[in-house]
Amino acid sequence: MTSRYFPARAVVDLGAIRSNVTELARRAAPSADRQAQVLAVVKADGYGHGLVPAARAAVAGGATWLGAAQAQEALDLRAAGVTTRLLTWLAAPGAPYAELLRADVDVSVADVWALDAVVAAARETGRTARVHVKVDTGLGRNGVMPDELGDVLARAVQAQSEGVLEVVGIWSHLALADEPEHPSVLAQAEAFDDAVRLAERAGAHLEVRHLANSAATLTAPRLHYDLVRPGLAVYGLSPVPDLGGPGDYGLVPAMTLEARLATVKRVPAGHGVSYGHRYTTTEDTVLGVVPVGYADGVPRHASGGPGTTGGPVRVGSGATARTLGVAGRVCMDQVVVDLGPAATEAAGDTVVLFGSGADGGPTAQDWADAAGTISYEITTRLGARVPRVYVGGPEDGAPTGQGETSEPPTGS
């Protein structure tokens, strides 16, 4: 039997995901006359938290839809027995539309070629396709341009009249939702309203109109329509860190990344640390080697050196706990922390790279700030070789699968 040993792990709190979705559902339906459903986005392996476990926790929290960017993600959910209404939206020619229709997956079209491919798959399978038309209201990314929408809708509604498909949704995506007062947000909302009216006049059988991502779900009730599509917020991270942290929105970060010190050693003053010696010790001190690096998703841009503070690592516990920056360059498999001359840590002790921050320790947002990026990237880039350990799951045990484990790694 192959050992599953790895000296680090990502602890994923499924209970936090459930409670986050419950809070998002409350915000999406604040009153009896303002009801919007929640589509929990679980793309990118559940933002690094695990596709199937995250999906099941989101459904348990009140999500009535799930969203997966890639077709294979949607098919993997169905193969795992997830039956919730499911939308996938990003494809290139050759996408397995027939498989998706057989699996009862809603599909998005953003171009004529995609609509034609879906129609062909529907005829092949004898399944009526459930189609959401994606409109580019200003993001400049995937989606039908407004001046081409009429023609696309006409083709789609003709296929609908033949029983080949149903145009059940129309949707778009915001460019600056994290700046809710930005004029582009209102402009996109108005463009979306125009697209909805056009679809309704064309005869589309709309069940859902959806525009709001995590940021708009939290900050712009006007944009909730029939369905909101939170992604990052499902996992307890704030999509608007300049406006408020997770706690300000009733969210709890679901992932804690921790590792065990591999080496702890005393070095003299003036000793270079890691590649390029960007960091040099200023006194006799103790270094600790943390056995994770950029191959595991630790951003190299969070290296520490002259004039820069490296990505934060929490060492020690209780009264001795302290947060220190990475010393020197982040390597492929390891980072180094200057523990200080009075350090008492030893090889095997646990350190935390990021977690909920409830104990004052670092968060994914702190790492994002150190690397000059966003918290989305911190969790989604977490490497596959880092085991995911699930807590707070259903009574019959957290779901497991490839790259997942419900038990700590050997030696943890």
Side-chain angles (χ1 to χ4, degrees):
M1 180 178 177
T2 303
S3 171
R4 291 184 62 95
Y5 170 78
F6 193 76
R9 63 181 187 170
V11 181
V12 178
D13 185 349
L14 299 176
I17 293 176
R18 287 197 305 273
S19 68
N20 293 333
V21 172
T22 298
E23 173 62 18
L24 292 164
R26 184 189 70 79
R27 289 173 176 270
S31 63
D33 60 342
R34 294 287 306 279
Q35 297 287 325
Q37 299 178 70
V38 172
L39 179 154
V41 179
V42 294
K43 64 180 181 178
D45 195 30
Y47 284 53
H49 294 68
L51 174 68
V52 174
R56 289 176 173 159
V59 171
T64 54
W65 289 69
L66 295 171
Q70 301 289 347
Q72 191 59 54
E73 297 170 328
L75 293 172
D76 287 346
L77 286 168
R78 287 293 190 245
V82 176
T83 59
T84 307
R85 179 57 59 199
L86 175 59
L87 171 66
T88 186
W89 57 81
L90 190 60
Y97 285 117
E99 288 184 67
L100 292 167
L101 299 190
R102 291 189 185 100
D104 191 28
V105 176
D106 287 28
V107 295
S108 173
V109 299
D111 203 339
V112 171
W113 75 259
L115 178 61
D116 291 345
V118 171
V119 168
R123 296 190 192 283
E124 174 191 339
T125 62
R127 302 292 297 267
T128 301
R130 290 173 51 88
V131 170
H132 299 235
V133 177
K134 175 77 178 289
V135 185
D136 185 348
T137 56
L139 178 57
R141 206 172 62 175
N142 206 30
V144 179
M145 293 299 291
D147 61 353
E148 299 174 347
L149 181 60
D151 290 340
V152 172
L153 285 170
R155 294 167 68 106
V157 170
Q158 175 59 41
Q160 180 178 270
S161 70
E162 299 170 14
V164 175
L165 60 79
E166 292 284 324
V167 182
V168 299
I170 191 160
W171 70 297
S172 189
H173 199 56
L174 296 165
L176 284 93
D178 55 342
E179 299 180 39
E181 301 303 320
H182 194 279
S184 71
V185 177
L186 177 59
Q188 282 196 255
E190 292 174 346
F192 184 67
D193 290 339
D194 290 343
V196 168
R197 285 189 288 268
L198 184 61
E200 291 172 338
R201 287 197 302 268
H205 296 167
L206 297 182
E207 296 177 12
V208 288
R209 304 145 187 86
H210 45 112
L211 178 63
N213 57 3
S214 284
T217 300
L218 295 174
T219 66
R222 146 83 169 86
L223 306 183
H224 287 180
Y225 295 93
D226 306 305
L227 187 69
V228 297
R229 303 187 313 269
L232 186 75
V234 167
Y235 309 98
L237 300 175
S238 173
V240 286
D242 292 339
L243 301 180
D248 296 311
Y249 298 104
L251 306 175
V252 178
M255 180 186 288
T256 297
L257 177 60
E258 59 185 33
R260 306 181 73 207
L261 289 171
T263 301
V264 177
K265 63 182 182 181
R266 188 166 294 277
V267 300
H271 199 290
V273 177
S274 195
Y275 291 123
H277 285 180
R278 292 187 63 218
Y279 183 93
T280 303
T281 60
T282 58
E283 59 184 334
D284 293 355
T285 191
V286 176
L287 300 180
V289 175
V290 183
V292 289
Y294 60 76
D296 305 299
V298 179
R300 194 169 183 268
H301 282 81
S303 298
T308 61
T309 301
V313 178
R314 187 75 160 177
V315 302
S317 60
T320 66
R322 57 206 190 280
T323 299
L324 306 170
V326 168
R329 285 201 176 126
V330 173
C331 305
M332 183 180 291
D333 308 292
Q334 53 194 291
V335 298
V336 180
V337 178
D338 187 341
L339 299 171
T344 59
E345 285 76 29
D349 286 355
T350 297
V351 298
V352 174
L353 283 82
F354 62 80
S356 71
D359 61 353
T363 64
Q365 184 61 49
D366 293 329
W367 271 90
D369 293 341
T373 185
I374 55 177
S375 60
Y376 303 67
E377 185 177 354
I378 300 302
T379 63
T380 58
R381 69 184 294 162
L382 190 64
R385 69 180 179 180
V386 178
R388 274 61 164 176
V389 179
Y390 295 97
V391 299
E395 291 182 358
D396 59 351
T400 60
Q402 183 177 2
E404 304 156 7
T405 175
S406 58
E407 297 295 332
T410 303
S412 293

